[in-house]
Amino acid sequence: MAARSRWLYAALAVSVTINLVGAGFLMGHERPPKPGRTVDGAIAFVAGRYPEAVGAAIRDRLENRRTELGAALAEMQGARQASRAAMAAEPVNAADVAEAFRAARAKADAFQSVIHGAIAEAMPGVPAEERAKVLKSGRD
C-alpha cells in the first residue's frame, strides 16, 4: 500500500510540475496584437496580402501616411467602443445603437479610404509584371 502511495504522489508531483512550467511559459510570452489593432499591424496585414513587390510599394505608401492612418484607426476604435457602450446602456435605446453603428461604419470607411488611397498611389510605381501577380494571387 505504501508503494502505491509513493507512485501516486510522484505522479501527482510530476503532473503539477508540468502544469506549472506550462503556465509559466504561456504567461511569459506575450501574444502579438491582432492585425489591424495597431498602425504597424494594419500596415503589415495590408502589405502582406499582396505579392512581395506590390506589398513593399504599398507598405512604403502606408508608412508615408502613418499619421493619417493612426488617426483614422483611433477614430474607428473609438466609434466601435461607443457602439458597445450604446448596446450596454440601461435602458438601451435602439435609435442610439443604430446611430452608434452608423458612426462606426463611417469611421471604418474613413480608415479603409486611407488604406485604399495608399494602394492606389503605390500601383503606378510597380512594374506591370509585378502588378499582374495580384490577379494571379486570387486573394480576396
Side-chain angles (χ1 to χ4, degrees):
M1 177 104 158
R4 279 189 187 167
S5 295
R6 282 188 223 152
W7 281 107
L8 181 62
Y9 288 128
L12 182 60
V14 169
S15 176
V16 168
T17 301
I18 290 170
N19 284 321
L20 288 174
V21 168
F25 178 78
L26 290 175
M27 293 175 73
H29 288 60
E30 286 186 35
R31 292 182 184 164
K34 291 184 180 179
R37 295 195 177 187
T38 66
V39 173
D40 289 329
I43 292 171
F45 178 76
V46 172
R49 296 192 46 83
Y50 294 93
E52 190 174 333
V54 176
I58 292 169
R59 182 177 292 106
D60 288 345
R61 294 300 177 159
L62 286 170
E63 287 290 348
N64 291 341
R65 291 175 166 225
R66 178 176 276 280
T67 302
E68 183 182 1
L69 185 64
L73 177 62
E75 288 179 12
M76 181 178 68
Q77 290 171 332
R80 288 179 176 171
Q81 178 61 36
S83 296
R84 290 189 293 277
M87 288 186 285
E90 192 58 46
V92 67
N93 180 316
D96 290 345
V97 174
E99 175 56 26
F101 282 146
R102 187 209 58 74
R105 285 191 306 274
K107 296 301 181 181
D109 184 54
F111 178 72
Q112 287 292 319
S113 291
V114 174
I115 292 170
H116 292 163
I119 293 169
E121 285 177 6
M123 290 304 96
V126 177
E129 61 274 3
E130 294 299 323
R131 284 184 285 121
K133 292 177 183 176
V134 172
L135 185 58
K136 294 175 185 173
S137 72
R139 296 188 85 173
D140 290 332

